[in-house]
Amino acid sequence: MIDSILDPIFIFVSTALLSAASIKMLHMYQLSSYRLHGVMNWLKVSHYEYFLRYFAFAFFASGIAVLFNLCFVYVPQIHYFSFLFYVFFGAIFIIVSFRTKSKVPMAVTPRMTRLILVNTLLCLAFSVGGWGLSKTPMQEVGYCVLPLLIPLICLISYGITYPFEKLIARSFIKDATAEIDKRKASGMEVIGITGSYGKTTAKNILAAMLATKYRVCATPGSYNTPLGICRTVNDVLGDDDRIFIAEMGARRRGDIKELCALAKPDYALITGVGTQHLETFGSVEAIADAKFELAEALPSGAPCVFNCSDAGAAKLSERFDGNKVKAGESEDCAVRYYDVTYDASGCTFKITDGKETIIAKTRLLGRHIPGIIASCAAVAMPLGVPLCACVRAAEKLSPVPHRLEVSTVGDKTIIDDAYNSNTEGAKNALEVLSAFEGEKIIVTPGIVELGDMEKEANITFGRQIAEVCDKAVLVGSRAKFMAKGASEAGMTEGVYSVDSLKEAKKILSQTEGKAAILFENDLPDNYK
């Protein structure tokens, strides 16, 4: 009678423990865009830390439970008392796991909800099996080894949900494609923006320019995937919107082509070609080819604007035989800027389309900003927005959050450039830092996703840090490479290597007097 009452309770408790202990790993699937390669990379860079934690959970729970059972072998129902050690160590594991706050919290999306539900059902099935094995000669080991199987349970859950998620995604894409076709038939224009950097900034600038004349809908935040664009089209795009701006991101060849098949752009803007996501692309040439997919997808005669202040985009423009529009500093650009001055408040420059010349002053920081503004103007002007209106719209904009966003705390100036650092962006951010007064400090985990180039890129970054900074707080596994570069460049003092942002902030709390602090890149939890 006792068994029939207690068994379901213990199975339920085991299911709850395994499900809670799975959350961190399921979160890594989400941060890795539900790609197994990303999850494996997280396990590798974390030195399989969670495997070791699961092993410790299982080892101590089973070892102490078996020892307790042997010591009190003649006590009735000792089997249930031994189970409490499994619960105890499971609770410790969960507390330790959730004690550290994730930099990017889990988004409880419908997809994640489905994954958690399937994972919970599998945890229940494994708990039933483990509890059944505990009634055999395996005893407590039957259920205490279950934590070792959590990675497998998560993988099976992913495998079960994956084909269904593909079907759901296809349904969303089908609906969004039909909606775009319908809206384009009624006169809506679609603009695609891609590049290794500056996509979101360009999207916001262009949307502001076009909003002076049209109703504009742009993909929000960094929505630059098929489902991100689908969600915008299905849930945000209004009946009166005349222009739709789609930011297009890529990690592999074919990604932009897929997005273009969905959005069907009438205009294109390529902001630049760099080393962002080099690890997944394999080469800079592959990155350039991926960005060029946007130009290739345009209908005959449609304009493609190239930000020729970026060497990669300028080179890419040479491949395009269609309606090519160049923006940048050179004389052959349709929209050209010159006489640029930079300071801590932004930048001032002259911009011309050959007919009129306007002095522009913007609060947006960075050497790339004039080229981005000129490129956006080159898109907006053929749509009927005059150059003067383009410039005035750009002048009113504030920085995009976490992209060279400046704030002040007392006599400390904080430059938040925490979003997605790359080699070009990191160098640019240091140049911005150099324009501020006071002690110059950088906090950074370095640059990621560069494959075999990552070590040398971070050494080079360290050398660049030494040229600008008085103090460098280097976070994580790439700190040693940046420290090496800084040392080679003569920065032998003021370099701190720490394991976490929390430790970095402790060092910053000791800063006295006026200072400018640059937070360059903030890696999510699937990087170390």
Side-chain angles (χ1 to χ4, degrees), residues 68-82 140:
F68 182 81
N69 199 35
L70 290 175
C71 292
F72 300 95
V73 65
Y74 297 110
V75 176
Q77 308 298 336
I78 191 64
H79 181 69
Y80 296 105
F81 288 102
S82 301
E140 283 68 20

Side-chain angles (χ1 to χ4, degrees), residues 8-58:
I9 294 175
F10 285 110
I11 289 171
F12 173 80
V13 171
S14 176
T15 301
L17 286 174
L18 293 177
S19 298
S22 301
I23 292 297
K24 181 72 173 183
M25 182 154 282
L26 294 179
H27 188 197
M28 290 306 111
Y29 277 88
Q30 186 178 67
L31 291 179
S32 303
S33 301
Y34 298 99
R35 286 173 168 156
L36 283 177
H37 177 270
V39 177
M40 294 305 297
N41 182 66
W42 165 66
L43 290 171
K44 182 179 178 181
V45 300
S46 65
H47 304 293
Y48 300 94
E49 175 186 347
Y50 260 76
F51 277 2
L52 295 176
R53 290 190 186 187
Y54 291 133
F55 175 79
F57 177 5

